Amino acid sequence: MKNVLVIYYSQSGQLESIARNIAKPLLDSENISVSFYEIKLEKPFPFPWDNDAFFGAFPESFLQIPTALKPIPKEILDIKYDLILLNYQVWYLSPSIPINSFLKSPEAKAIFSNTPVVTISGSRNMWIMAQEKIKVLLKQNNAILKGNIALVDRVGNLISVITIVEWMFSGVKKKYLGIFPLPGVSQKDIDESSKFGNIILSSLQENNLDDLQYKLVENDAVRVSSYLVTVDKTGNKIFDKWSRFIITKSESRKTWTKVFKVYLLLAIWLISPIVYILHVLSYPLRSQKRKKVIQYYKGIN
């Protein structure tokens, strides 16, 4: 009997649905015992979000400042796991505050030490740098990264901004104005994500997780856009300056958060298209570098 732990934090329910669909083949196996752990905070974030909470979470999200968690159930801590499926959201180009807080806890260090891990993200489209930060946290916990699955909203960048924001602030997953596509990871991709569970199950039963990422990539578990890699990296540099500035402004924090909100909207609607145009123009000149970038981020090293 092998023990598998599925970890997740989900506000809208999308990531929980992804986590359970991927875990389904494992649940159906007679020689696999699957435990689920939902991360819970002492002070939960709202869903749907309100304006102050959403933008107010920016500095702590990006700077990866942990918050207090509710105690992890003893039955979770008492088991030594053969594999952990770590499901996470991306907030402001970083792992969400709940997942970051958990991974920085002493309990996580005990759970993850010398344990194989598959990371699973559900995001709008930019997960690259968040995954790099997850790698650091896993290494600090002495975990062994064996696979990565990145599910994203497949519609265009600017369209997904509109639909995701509407969803986050209304709490209702619907076609905005009746004409926009549904926000988030498509139901088709969520339903079909059980195929990744079958791949994980097969590798686990064969006691061979070394080729797992290759098999996952072959089955479309990870798509990498060199354009979004550039946007993600650029955004991280800018967010670093903004977050460090705002975090020091205790008395005027709300004011500066509002200024950041205006900047963010301008960056999305004005700067992002310019970056895309420059990317297209330079596309033929950087084919070799682009291939290396894509190959690296599809991997787990």
Side-chain angles (χ1 to χ4, degrees):
M1 181 68 70
K2 293 184 181 294
N3 296 307
V4 175
L5 176 62
V6 179
I7 300 170
Y8 69 93
Y9 169 84
S10 184
Q11 288 176 295
S12 67
Q14 175 179 269
L15 194 65
E16 181 179 2
S17 181
I18 290 169
R20 291 189 179 276
N21 269 279
I22 292 176
K24 190 175 185 302
L26 300 166
L27 283 165
D28 293 339
S29 175
E30 293 182 356
N31 61 346
I32 305 289
S33 175
V34 181
S35 302
F36 287 86
Y37 166 54
E38 179 184 4
I39 297 169
K40 294 185 177 180
L41 307 181
E42 286 287 355
K43 186 179 178 181
F45 288 96
F47 189 81
W49 288 91
D50 59 65
N51 195 72
D52 287 345
F54 184 82
F55 290 100
F58 161 63
E60 285 77 10
S61 294
F62 185 79
L63 295 174
Q64 296 181 260
I65 298 172
T67 191
L69 303 174
K70 287 190 175 181
I72 301 170
K74 187 175 183 297
E75 57 267 27
I76 296 295
L77 298 172
D78 286 346
I79 299 172
K80 175 57 182 175
Y81 297 98
D82 297 284
L83 179 67
I84 296 173
L85 304 184
L86 179 65
N87 299 266
Y88 73 94
Q89 297 170 315
V90 178
W91 292 7
Y92 292 105
L93 308 182
S94 292
S96 71
I97 290 176
I99 202 75
N100 176 69
S101 301
F102 168 69
L103 288 174
K104 289 188 174 181
S105 70
E107 292 83 359
K109 198 170 191 69
I111 293 170
F112 279 85
S113 183
N114 294 311
T115 305
V117 178
V118 175
T119 50
I120 302 163
S121 60
S123 66
R124 185 174 72 85
N125 59 14
M126 278 183 275
W127 55 270
I128 291 290
M129 296 309 293
Q131 178 68 6
E132 292 299 293
K133 295 169 189 178
I134 286 283
K135 287 181 185 178
V136 172
L137 293 170
L138 291 177
K139 188 174 182 180
Q140 290 172 352
N141 286 325
N142 200 30
I144 309 164
L145 183 59
K146 290 295 186 178
N148 178 47
I149 300 166
L151 299 181
V152 299
D153 187 337
R154 297 200 190 199
V155 304
N157 186 37
L158 296 181
I159 292 175
S160 69
V161 170
I162 296 170
T163 58
I164 292 290
V165 168
E166 168 62 21
W167 182 22
M168 294 300 98
F169 284 90
S170 71
V172 181
K173 190 172 185 176
K174 63 180 180 180
K175 290 188 175 183
Y176 182 51
L177 300 178
I179 57 173
F180 284 88
L182 284 171
V185 178
S186 73
Q187 192 58 49
K188 181 176 182 291
D189 283 348
I190 293 174
D191 292 341
E192 292 180 355
S193 66
S194 60
K195 67 183 180 183
F196 304 129
N198 284 316
I199 295 168
I200 294 168
L201 174 61
S202 175
S203 295
L204 191 59
Q205 289 176 328
E206 293 169 2
N207 294 311
N208 181 16
L209 296 171
D210 291 340
D211 296 330
L212 177 59
Q213 185 60 14
Y214 172 78
K215 294 175 182 177
L216 290 172
V217 170
E218 284 290 294
N219 283 271
D220 206 25
V222 181
R223 292 186 176 190
V224 177
S225 161
S226 57
Y227 159 65
L228 290 177
V229 171
T230 301
V231 175
D232 202 339
K233 288 182 175 180
T234 303
N236 266 263
K237 292 176 183 177
I238 296 169
F239 279 11
D240 184 65
K241 292 181 173 61
W242 269 107
S243 59
R244 293 184 188 282
F245 175 75
I246 292 174
I247 204 77
T248 63
K249 305 298 179 182
S250 55
E251 294 183 2
S252 57
R253 174 165 170 157
K254 283 190 175 182
T255 300
W256 283 108
T257 300
K258 290 177 181 178
V259 175
F260 168 73
K261 174 185 174 182
V262 173
Y263 166 79
L264 185 60
L265 293 173
L266 289 172
I268 290 170
W269 294 103
L270 294 179
I271 300 175
S272 178
I274 293 172
V275 172
Y276 180 73
I277 292 169
L278 293 174
H279 173 78
V280 171
L281 292 175
S282 63
Y283 193 84
L285 305 176
R286 299 183 177 182
S287 60
Q288 290 302 317
K289 183 178 180 180
R290 188 174 65 252
K291 287 177 182 177
K292 289 181 180 179
V293 166
I294 291 172
Q295 184 177 11
Y296 171 77
Y297 289 114
K298 280 189 174 183
I300 53 173
N301 295 324

